[in-house]
Amino acid sequence: MADPSTYRPKPGEIPDSPGVYRFRDAHRRVIYVGKAKSLRSRLANYFQDLSGLHPRTRTMVTTAASVEWTVVSTEVEALQLEYTWIKEYDPRFNVKYRDDKSYPSLAVTLNEEFPRVQVMRGPKRKGVRYFGPYAHAWAIRETVDLLLRVFPVRTCSAGVFKRSAQIGRPCLLGYIGKCSAPCVGRISPEEHRELADEFCDFMAGRTGAYLRRLEERMHEAAEETEYERAARLRDDIEALRRAMEKNAVVLTDATDADLIALAEDELEAAVQIFHVRGGRVRGQRGWVTDRVEEVGTAELVEHALQQLYGEESGDTVPREVLVPALPEPVEPLAQWLAGRRGAGVNLRVPQRGDKRALMETVQRNAQQALALHKTKRASDLTTRSRALEEIAEALDLDSAPLRIECFDVSHLQGDDVVASMVVFEDGLARKSEYRRFQIRSFAGQDDVRAMHEVVARRFRRYLQEMQRTGEWPEGEEGEHGRDEDGRPKKFAYPPQLLVVDGGKPQVAAAQRALTELGVDDVAVCGLAKRLEEVWLPQDDDPVVLPRTSEGLYLLQRVRDEAHRFAITYQRSKRKKALTASPLDAVPGLGETRKQALIKHFGSVKRLRAATVEQICEVPGFGRKTAETVVASLAGAAAGGPAVNTATGEIVEDEERLRQTRGGNR
């Protein structure tokens, strides 16, 4: 535990201007990011008597070992920089909302020649228009099914679209009128994009004008005695109204707004968001966070707005944002939102009327979400704590291993030998800190030697970071444990427990690597698959945990995750090796020009027989590049057999085979 007075800045060093500050721990990890209108006033609050600080703030300043700051021009810039750094460094003492589920959205891929309507999850992509998110994917599909009658936009995958174009026959949706079949040319790209734009307009809430146009066209068709067309339009109108009924009208003035409500206690907070477009609820989502820093409702709202709109722009930021409390001052946040939207944003607390009533509904949803989360987490937290305590007791550790790293080696009959490192913190997978290794020091199959290499490489990085901070004697290690921007690499953080996938030989190899490097504060164990025995380096007999032990379950999950990660990496390397092409060895030749060569000549065999002049006829190839291609392919042909990139089989060049046979005769 550090004493804040040891790293307190000297009087007069801190500027009295807006800025963003970072607290770092002894390993140079950023543990807290904050912003301030006056850096001098804000930072002074952290270096008062510890007894006067909030318990969470006291824990943060005693965990930290240094503080640094960056001066900015305005509070709006400070808000943006704070968001960027929280996202980049993932500080442990900052409020970080996490989705309680991966919500599906309705997406229209406007970045394609023929836009596609589909259900999407995960991060948003550039050039795709999103609507939602929705609570259930089936709700999206029901709505889309109704709308396709009126807006027959493409919904098929790229593979189905390509196949239909090749055979000249549309899929079933094209025959029943729920797709305009652009794959077979029934509609031009321009007409199909216009359909997609109308679909987007309708989903965005601009429904009234479109319905009125359909009704006018229906009446015109009836007056002209085109009763079949009029009936079709009548059914289209009914389908659109049924789709609209799926989203309840909550605000009669066709408001576009996001309503944000919070439910909180001393330890956690839940936020719920209702996305209202055209007066109807078009989507809903929720987050939960640990209250690891001392913040009130207004600060929680500010963090929620940063996460909600930090990556958004344009119309995805609504004209009106309704919240339960406003941060002080509110102007920088309102200006930041307006900058994201490109127009003014009304940020306020609803006081009366329909909007106040809807906010109360959102608030009830937040309270229910927090109660449900606490019920689930109580069970999860208790189980994880018991598992860590059982591991500490079984392995005779001084404390529960809050950070566990596990290593596994994978290969295919001695080839493509790789290894993996997975990280579990507080019993949960920390996937952002997983690492993969290629075995460099030898070739062939030797799991014990490979385990020694990867453990030594991993902890050599740790020692390099210790040297940098002056906490370890200077040595002769070559690499530095920091990235290009000067930040400490997460790879250099030490675990309390190192687990290897294997028995006594693998454990001995890992322990030998640590001993050679002088690392004596990391416990080592191995989990053997055969009987799920736990091996310790100093014991001749394994530790056998009960089959119902939560500690054994956790070790199994860690070991299985390391095995999965290693196998995935090994297979990807194998796949790349099997699909290798002789053109990969040509220096300076990218994928576009490789494809151009294959398209022009038809195969690598014909390309190998081509002259420099013939290659120069391909667009984008000059004489120098053509000569490089000829020389590289000639060297590849002389160096060994070619590889069939489709099957991975070794194939002989027919001409070379004939020459070989002729020489033998």
Side-chain angles (χ1 to χ4, degrees), residues 620-663:
F621 283 84
R623 186 169 188 84
K624 185 175 180 180
T625 305
E627 291 174 349
T628 303
V629 172
V630 170
S632 296
L633 291 180
V643 178
N644 184 325
T645 58
T647 65
E649 298 174 318
I650 303 298
V651 295
E652 294 284 356
D653 185 273
E654 294 179 4
E655 182 178 352
R656 185 171 57 192
L657 189 58
R658 286 195 300 270
Q659 292 173 353
T660 303
R661 289 172 178 169

Side-chain angles (χ1 to χ4, degrees), residues 89 115 133 149 202 205 242 310 355 457 497 574 582 590 621 644:
Y89 294 111
R149 176 184 177 87
F202 188 87
R242 286 202 307 274
K355 294 177 182 177
R457 285 165 58 186
L497 176 63
R574 185 69 175 173
F621 283 84
N644 184 325

Side-chain angles (χ1 to χ4, degrees), residues 175-343:
Y175 282 108
I176 64 176
K178 290 195 173 182
C179 179
S180 53
C183 54
V184 294
R186 288 187 185 173
I187 186 173
S188 68
E190 294 75 18
E191 292 170 328
H192 185 268
R193 181 165 292 274
E194 185 178 348
L195 264 181
D197 290 338
E198 290 179 347
F199 179 93
C200 291
D201 288 344
F202 188 87
M203 289 301 303
R206 293 183 279 275
T207 58
Y210 192 80
L211 282 173
R212 284 193 294 273
R213 287 203 305 271
L214 286 183
E215 289 176 348
E216 291 172 0
R217 287 163 54 190
M218 178 185 69
H219 293 311
E220 291 173 0
E223 291 174 359
E224 295 171 3
T225 66
E226 296 183 12
Y227 298 117
E228 290 185 3
R229 186 164 69 92
R232 168 79 185 190
L233 290 169
R234 177 201 62 200
D235 295 341
D236 289 349
I237 294 169
E238 183 61 27
L240 292 180
R241 285 178 174 159
R242 286 202 307 274
M244 292 169 59
E245 288 169 1
K246 290 184 174 294
N247 299 107
V249 177
V250 291
L251 299 174
T252 55
D253 57 353
T255 298
D256 290 348
D258 284 350
L259 289 88
I260 301 171
L262 287 164
E264 52 188 301
D265 58 22
E266 292 183 356
L267 299 176
E268 295 175 307
V271 60
Q272 282 284 308
I273 303 104
F274 275 23
H275 302 279
V276 179
R277 300 294 183 270
R280 300 172 182 271
V281 178
R282 298 287 182 178
Q284 174 189 357
R285 66 191 306 182
W287 298 316
V288 182
T289 182
D290 294 323
R291 297 187 64 176
V292 292
E293 57 176 310
E294 183 185 2
V295 292
T297 301
E299 288 83 2
L300 288 171
V301 167
E302 182 176 306
H303 288 305
L305 292 175
Q306 284 180 301
Q307 177 151 333
L308 186 60
Y309 301 117
E311 304 295 327
E312 304 295 344
S313 61
D315 290 342
T316 51
V317 182
R319 287 189 292 267
E320 192 171 13
V321 178
L322 306 177
V323 295
L326 293 174
E328 287 293 339
V330 70
E331 289 77 15
L333 187 58
Q335 291 176 27
W336 178 74
L337 288 173
R340 306 301 307 175
R341 175 177 168 81

